[in-house]
Amino acid sequence: MNTGRRTILQRSGGLAVMGLAVSAGLFKPGSAWAQGSWNKAAFETKSVNDTVKALGGAAAATESKDIVITSPDIAENGAVVPFTITSKIPKTESIALLVEKNPNTLAATFNIPEGTEPGVQTRVKMGQTSNVIALVKADGKFYYVGKEVKVTLGGCGG
């Protein structure tokens, strides 16, 4: 069978489907790039307070017991430390994960659409043992909870 002919048919079929989706208004070119604005300043911050300011907070965040961080207390591999963060604060708008001793404090941020359960799971790279902070924006105010996560290098302690 002629594989070049098959490849051409596959690609032209994909372009035809894409063209139909664009003409039907289901897909707008450039809409993927228009998804929110990249908050570069927030990802370049070096401290928790600077991150809160870069994310739009005017005042310092308030500690809250309604936020739960689930992660291992000791992570053997700092390259992939799993985190689950849930918020019971009403009107949660976003959840951010901050690692104090990483070169850039803000590791991840998630927008929580209205009407969805505020919870996220992610994996973060940690260079060393550090306090990890879950920062939640709810009803225009910032709340946080922190936890220390120890990182062992190669499982030998550190």
Side-chain angles (χ1 to χ4, degrees):
M1 182 138 228
N2 187 355
T3 57
R5 181 174 167 229
R6 179 174 282 184
T7 302
I8 290 172
L9 288 173
Q10 287 174 339
R11 289 184 181 161
S12 64
L15 288 173
V17 169
M18 182 75 79
L20 288 172
V22 169
S23 64
L26 299 174
F27 179 73
K28 295 178 182 175
S31 64
W33 293 284
Q35 291 285 327
S37 59
W38 167 251
N39 191 346
K40 184 178 180 182
F43 282 95
E44 292 178 343
T45 57
K46 305 295 181 194
S47 71
V48 175
N49 288 335
D50 290 345
T51 305
V52 172
K53 289 178 186 173
L55 290 173
T62 305
E63 190 166 1
S64 174
K65 293 181 180 181
D66 291 332
I67 306 166
V68 177
I69 299 177
T70 305
S71 69
D73 294 331
I74 299 173
E76 291 184 17
N77 184 358
V80 286
V81 182
F83 288 95
T84 300
I85 303 166
T86 57
S87 170
K88 294 178 183 172
I89 301 173
K91 298 182 180 179
T92 296
E93 300 169 16
S94 67
I95 296 175
L97 184 65
L98 291 71
V99 181
E100 276 187 347
K101 291 187 179 176
N102 273 5
N104 296 330
T105 305
L106 182 60
T109 182
F110 304 90
N111 292 327
I112 308 297
E114 188 175 330
T116 58
E117 192 167 321
V120 296
Q121 292 182 340
T122 190
R123 294 175 186 262
V124 172
K125 183 175 184 178
M126 295 178 61
Q128 59 183 309
T129 298
S130 176
N131 287 328
V132 176
I133 297 163
L135 183 67
V136 171
K137 183 179 180 184
D139 202 21
K141 297 177 184 173
F142 284 89
Y143 302 91
Y144 75 95
V145 69
K147 174 183 182 178
E148 183 183 52
V149 176
K150 294 182 180 180
V151 175
T152 59
L153 302 175
C156 299

